């Protein structure tokens, strides 16, 4: 008996500018969060604070409830889900965000912190001064999954059984499926399956973030910058192409999620559909900004390095909206930084 593992996690990164100094109207009510308050997990990498939104565990809860049907025959499967979608996923996302942070610092940007929430990581980073640097920052996150994948593969090789439960020699490369009998056979079998699924977790996150040219994923950031920098596409046209590409891909994600919802894999299918809706919403906002000729207030395309189509300084005094104001959990102060 086996169950296929699917994990999707979104990490994006956008540029931010100084917040407008104009005070809000006195009659306007204070902005309240529609999400639970985040909690502090401490700090690392030069004092960068790390926060956790309670909603980070949304995917874990989906998979946990989906695993209850197998609890009678394979009680360890529920523990497996908690470990994989809890600490393993959290550590994986953190390392991804640290890739963005390290690259930002090396390239002259500023870092405010990291928030973990349902769509993955939210790195609060300031802008760099050129599109080529922006591409490097966007690439830095997904590239961290390569050493992570190799680490978990080494763990898999160290703990794997020589033969599987059917008497066949265990493959040197982990299966994409979760073998419940092997997982339930003892500590070695449990960690063999866990390490194998962690390998695939990192492969999926690498491919999903880097290879899908949909805004606001990392791949979408690279796609947008490459249109301007490499193909010399005018910024507003590049923004429109990026938005349309994201909307098409997001509709495919939502459609796939709905189909999967009725053919099995409820936890993953619902999460995939929600991610697709998020990508569609952000792409829709971008397309509207193009139609209104208002890209100067967009969190990415409002930066000077995007507006000029080259390597000018992106720290203009224009007062662009931050991604925290556009799509971040509402209790995160907008002036802290940007989404990654």
């Amino acid at each position: 008996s086996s169950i296929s593992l699917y994990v999707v996690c979104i990490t994006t990164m956008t540029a931010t500018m100084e917040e407008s100094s104009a005070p809000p109207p006195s009659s306007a009510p204070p902005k309240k969060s529609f999400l639970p308050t985040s909690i502090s997990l401490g700090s690392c990498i030069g004092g960068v604070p790390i926060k956790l939104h309670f909603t980070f565990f949304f995917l874990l809860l989906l998979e946990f409830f989906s695993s209850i049907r197998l609890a009678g025959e394979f009680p360890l499967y529920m523990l497996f889900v908690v470990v994989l979608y809890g600490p393993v996923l959290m550590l994986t996302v953190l390392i991804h965000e640290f890739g963005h942070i390290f690259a930002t610092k090396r390239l002259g940007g500023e870092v405010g912190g990291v928030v973990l929430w349902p769509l993955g990581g939210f790195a609060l980073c300031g802008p760099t001064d050129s599109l080529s640097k922006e591409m490097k920052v966007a690439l830095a996150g997904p590239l961290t999954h390569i050493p992570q994948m190799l680490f978990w593969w080494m763990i898999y090789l160290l703990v794997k059984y020589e033969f599987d439960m059917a008497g066949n020699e265990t493959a040197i490369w982990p299966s994409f499926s979760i073998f419940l009998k092997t997982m339930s056979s003892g500590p070695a079998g449990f960690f063999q399956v866990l390490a194998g699924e962690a390998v695939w977790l990192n492969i999926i996150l690498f491919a999903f973030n880097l290879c899908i040219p949909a805004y606001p994923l990392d791949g979408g950031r690279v796609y947008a910058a490459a249109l301007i920098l490499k193909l010399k596409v005018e910024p507003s046209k590049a923004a429109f192409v990026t938005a349309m590409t994201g909307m098409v891909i997001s509709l495919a994600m939502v459609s796939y999620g709905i189909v999967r919802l009725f053919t099995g894999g409820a936890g993953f299918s619902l999460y995939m559909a929600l991610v697709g809706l998020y990508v569609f919403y952000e792409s829709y906002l971008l397309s509207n900004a193009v139609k209104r000729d208002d890209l100067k207030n967009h969190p990415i395309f409002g930066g000077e390095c995007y507006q000029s189509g080259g390597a000018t300084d992106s720290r203009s005094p224009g007062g662009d909206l931050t991604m925290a104001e556009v799509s971040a959990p509402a209790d995160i102060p907008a002036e802290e930084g940007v989404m990654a």
Side-chain angles (χ1 to χ4, degrees), residues 6-92:
Y6 301 88
V7 180
V8 175
C9 198
I10 301 299
T11 52
T12 65
M13 180 168 183
T14 64
T16 184
M17 309 296 290
E18 295 179 11
E19 192 177 25
S20 173
S21 59
S26 58
S27 59
K31 185 178 181 182
K32 294 184 178 179
S33 173
F34 65 96
L35 293 174
T37 304
S38 58
I39 59 175
S40 176
L41 298 179
S43 61
C44 60
I45 306 186
V48 174
I50 303 172
K51 294 183 179 181
L52 176 69
H53 248 265
F54 295 118
T55 48
F56 175 82
F57 296 105
F58 180 62
L59 176 60
L60 170 61
L61 291 175
L62 287 176
E63 293 295 336
F64 179 80
F65 286 118
S66 179
S67 70
I68 292 177
R69 60 190 175 87
L70 297 171
E73 186 176 1
F74 303 102
L76 279 180
Y77 180 60
M78 297 181 71
L79 174 62
F80 173 85
V81 167
V82 170
V83 174
L84 182 65
Y85 290 91
V88 172
L89 179 58
M90 183 186 299
L91 181 61
T92 302

Side-chain angles (χ1 to χ4, degrees), residues 24-334:
S26 58
S27 59
K31 185 178 181 182
K32 294 184 178 179
S33 173
F34 65 96
L35 293 174
T37 304
S38 58
I39 59 175
S40 176
L41 298 179
S43 61
C44 60
I45 306 186
V48 174
I50 303 172
K51 294 183 179 181
L52 176 69
H53 248 265
F54 295 118
T55 48
F56 175 82
F57 296 105
F58 180 62
L59 176 60
L60 170 61
L61 291 175
L62 287 176
E63 293 295 336
F64 179 80
F65 286 118
S66 179
S67 70
I68 292 177
R69 60 190 175 87
L70 297 171
E73 186 176 1
F74 303 102
L76 279 180
Y77 180 60
M78 297 181 71
L79 174 62
F80 173 85
V81 167
V82 170
V83 174
L84 182 65
Y85 290 91
V88 172
L89 179 58
M90 183 186 299
L91 181 61
T92 302
V93 172
L94 269 176
I95 294 174
H96 178 117
E97 299 310 321
F98 289 158
H100 288 309
I101 290 172
F102 181 76
T104 300
K105 285 191 170 186
R106 287 291 301 270
L107 296 173
E110 299 177 356
V111 179
V114 174
V115 176
L116 303 179
W117 68 309
L119 298 185
F122 185 89
L124 308 173
C125 302
T128 56
D129 60 4
S130 72
L131 280 178
S132 61
K133 290 181 179 180
E134 287 289 294
M135 292 178 68
K136 291 176 182 178
V137 171
L139 289 169
L143 290 178
T144 63
H145 294 295
I146 296 176
Q148 289 189 79
M149 180 271 293
L150 293 174
F151 170 81
W152 283 110
W153 184 41
M154 294 302 297
I155 298 296
Y156 169 83
L157 293 176
L158 289 173
V159 301
K160 78 179 184 70
Y161 291 133
E162 185 178 355
F163 298 96
D164 61 21
M165 301 303 292
N168 301 315
E169 186 174 358
T170 304
I172 192 173
W173 186 256
S175 172
F176 188 63
S177 297
I178 300 174
F179 292 99
L180 298 174
K181 290 183 178 179
T182 299
M183 182 196 65
S184 303
S185 62
F190 182 89
F191 284 102
Q192 172 187 322
V193 176
L194 179 65
E197 295 307 310
V199 168
W200 282 106
L201 166 67
N202 280 280
I203 292 174
I204 292 172
L205 291 179
F206 172 83
F208 192 87
N209 279 281
L210 189 58
C211 300
I212 298 181
Y215 173 80
L217 306 182
D218 289 328
R221 298 258 347 267
V222 174
Y223 178 59
L227 286 175
I228 299 173
L229 190 63
K230 304 298 182 181
L231 300 182
K232 308 301 180 184
V233 177
E234 192 268 332
S236 63
K237 291 182 180 179
F240 182 77
V241 171
T242 301
M244 293 299 103
T245 303
M247 292 173 74
V248 170
I249 292 176
S250 66
L251 289 176
M253 292 168 63
V254 173
S255 300
Y256 178 79
I258 293 174
V259 170
R260 283 285 298 169
L261 185 63
F262 292 100
T263 58
F268 164 75
S269 58
L270 178 58
Y271 193 71
M272 171 67 86
L274 291 175
V275 169
L277 289 174
Y278 171 74
V279 172
F280 183 89
Y281 174 72
E282 291 296 335
S283 299
Y284 175 76
L285 291 180
L286 176 58
S287 68
N288 273 354
V290 175
K291 293 176 182 178
R292 298 193 310 267
D293 193 22
D294 192 30
L295 283 179
K296 65 180 182 298
N297 285 324
H298 189 267
I300 287 184
F301 287 92
E304 283 297 321
C305 63
Y306 284 88
Q307 288 287 305
S308 65
T312 58
D313 191 283
S314 61
R315 297 179 186 275
S316 68
D320 288 324
L321 293 175
T322 67
M323 194 60 167
E325 295 171 314
V326 177
S327 61
D331 64 315
I332 301 172

